[in-house]
Amino acid sequence: MAGAGALLRHCPLLLPQDRHGTAYEGFVTAQGRDFHIRILLPVDLQLKNARIECSWHLKKILHGYRHILKQRLCSCPDLVSFMVELKTVLEIALKNAQDLHIPWPPEYYSCLVRDLEILGWNRVAYVDTGLTTVKLKAEDSCGRQHLITLKLNAKYPTEPPGCLVDFPVPFAVSWMPQNFLIDIYNQFLAALESLKEFWDALDEIDGKTWVLEPENPTRSATSRRIAIGNNVSVNIEVDPHHPNMLPECYFLGADHEVNPLRTKLNNNMHLWNPEISLLQNLRELLEIDFPSRVVLEKRDFAKDCGICYAYRLDGSVPDQVCDDPRCGQPFHQACLYEWLQGLPTSRQSFNVIFGECPYCNK
């Protein structure tokens, strides 16, 4: 009964409930507090198959440590070792819980409420129950709605809050301890106006063309893949600082379709006019009219992959097309690469793999 003596030394309030040593009930002590616990062991006394029952309070404290306790049940050689481990984990859990509930200074709350009053509650979109996260709403000069999320810490206003915005460029806040939230808000408004032309350009593209990717663009997204025709598209990357300048353009489609477009872009590049919209410039340089959202549906351009028969695969859409004019079947790059790797006739040169089309064998 040496094991029973060791258990009594480490957990004097945990007592056996039967002569076989398969049931124990009592209390485990940590930081001067007692927590009710009941441990049921199988007949073979294997800890990994033990069942632990405890009070709801202890269960809540140990909620984030369950995987550790399961691991300890499997690795500890006996109940005494496990109870020592349990007490250690419980000490850590209690310490972390105390750190989370250290009350913030009253000055923090008075400063925050004062700042929100100065800012105006009509500009507040959300405040969490702990008064540590605040979302402010704003409307730019074109009527677009924007949010800025402020993450505050206990040292506010000595330290500035963290700011999260849906911008294509970094948003750096200028802050002094004597500043108010309205100072951040005004900087936010100024940043919105500095990005007006960028968002104007992309809003026109989103409203007047069929954008294949991204499917639901955020305000921070700088690229658009625009449908030009059946299995032909152009991916543009717009510079947020210079949205009216020629963007980076990458054409996707069969060579016989995209090569003429590349030639037109290169030959007409000097005609780019920063005084007109980005979309109008693309029309004139490429000498095309982008498919209208009024006349055509997105499904006219969103063709499924010829290998997996799906349009979206892990967020990507088919962007590889058979070069044979009579085929033109689109594929996901990942699907096509896997297909070609499996063909004995395929060959690879550096990072490019060559092989036969799954559809036309060209």
Side-chain angles (χ1 to χ4, degrees):
M1 297 295 290
L7 184 63
L8 187 62
R9 286 195 304 273
H10 289 286
C11 301
L13 300 181
L14 185 65
L15 302 175
Q17 302 297 301
D18 61 13
R19 66 176 63 184
H20 305 293
T22 59
Y24 292 83
E25 187 168 2
F27 298 87
V28 59
T29 304
Q31 291 193 7
R33 300 166 62 184
D34 297 330
F35 299 92
H36 182 259
I37 189 169
R38 188 165 183 248
I39 300 174
L40 302 174
L41 297 170
V43 177
D44 58 7
L45 304 182
Q46 291 291 315
L47 275 178
K48 63 181 180 181
N49 297 320
R51 191 168 91 233
I52 299 176
E53 300 172 354
C54 58
S55 64
W56 69 268
H57 190 201
L58 180 57
K59 187 179 294 186
K60 182 179 179 181
I61 293 171
L62 294 174
H63 178 75
Y65 301 84
R66 287 179 301 174
H67 64 291
I68 297 176
L69 294 176
K70 285 182 180 179
Q71 186 185 52
R72 296 296 188 270
L73 277 173
C74 293
S75 60
C76 287
D78 51 46
L79 182 59
V80 177
S81 301
F82 172 72
M83 291 306 299
V84 172
E85 296 274 7
L86 174 61
K87 289 181 70 174
T88 302
V89 172
L90 183 54
E91 292 277 355
I92 295 171
L94 288 169
K95 176 67 168 59
N96 290 340
Q98 286 174 357
D99 291 344
L100 288 174
H101 293 94
I102 293 175
W104 288 15
E107 296 80 8
Y108 165 81
Y109 298 103
S110 59
C111 285
L112 179 59
V113 172
R114 176 206 64 193
D115 280 9
L116 291 174
E117 291 284 356
I118 294 172
L119 177 68
W121 290 99
N122 59 315
R123 294 169 173 171
V124 178
Y126 168 83
V127 180
D128 72 335
T129 54
L131 297 181
T132 59
T133 301
V134 178
K135 293 185 180 182
L136 306 179
K137 57 186 177 182
E139 188 176 282
D140 63 26
S141 57
C142 292
R144 289 178 285 249
Q145 299 293 323
H146 303 270
L147 287 175
I148 178 171
T149 301
L150 307 178
K151 298 283 187 178
L152 299 103
N153 61 49
K155 295 182 180 179
Y156 176 84
T158 304
E159 293 184 3
C163 300
L164 302 174
V165 292
D166 190 14
F167 283 3
V169 295
F171 177 62
V173 172
S174 175
W175 181 263
M176 298 289 286
Q178 62 269 26
N179 284 148
F180 302 96
L181 287 185
I182 195 167
D183 296 306
I184 292 180
Y185 190 79
N186 289 333
Q187 293 176 55
F188 179 54
L189 292 177
L192 292 180
E193 289 311 301
S194 71
L195 291 166
K196 176 185 176 300
E197 292 185 351
F198 168 76
W199 285 321
D200 285 347
L202 291 183
D203 280 356
E204 184 184 18
I205 288 172
D206 293 339
K208 295 183 179 179
T209 70
W210 280 114
V211 174
L212 303 179
E213 292 182 285
E215 193 169 25
N216 297 300
T218 61
R219 288 294 175 195
S220 59
T222 58
S223 65
R224 295 292 190 274
R225 182 180 168 197
I226 311 170
I228 294 177
N230 192 12
N231 299 328
V232 185
S233 59
V234 59
N235 193 85
I236 63 169
E237 184 72 33
V238 183
D239 183 349
H241 298 292
H242 307 285
N244 292 326
M245 301 306 291
L246 177 63
E248 292 182 30
C249 298
Y250 175 68
F251 294 96
L252 298 104
D255 286 346
H256 69 278
E257 296 276 6
V258 301
N259 283 341
L261 294 171
R262 291 195 189 103
T263 301
K264 289 177 183 177
L265 180 65
N266 291 331
N267 291 343
N268 297 333
M269 203 175 291
H270 65 283
L271 299 175
W272 186 272
N273 180 5
E275 299 301 319
I276 63 176
S277 74
L278 187 152
L279 180 60
Q280 186 58 34
N281 268 304
L282 288 174
R283 287 194 187 108
E284 295 186 5
L285 265 64
L286 298 177
E287 300 174 9
I288 60 170
D289 279 325
F290 289 98
S292 169
R293 295 177 66 92
V294 177
V295 179
L296 297 169
E297 298 290 335
K298 189 174 183 178
R299 61 173 176 267
D300 295 325
F301 313 103
K303 302 298 183 183
D304 293 343
C305 170
I307 295 174
C308 72
Y309 302 108
Y311 181 62
R312 292 202 172 272
L313 178 69
D314 296 331
S316 64
V317 301
D319 60 358
Q320 304 295 313
V321 179
C322 176
D323 286 329
D324 191 295
R326 294 169 296 180
C327 178
Q329 175 65 43
F331 307 97
H332 293 116
Q333 181 171 307
C335 294
L336 190 59
Y337 184 76
E338 186 176 347
W339 170 275
L340 294 177
Q341 271 195 319
L343 294 180
T345 56
S346 296
R347 59 186 177 84
Q348 188 160 350
S349 176
F350 297 102
N351 63 338
V352 180
I353 189 167
F354 301 87
E356 296 175 354
C357 171
Y359 263 60
C360 67
N361 295 328
K362 294 295 177 69

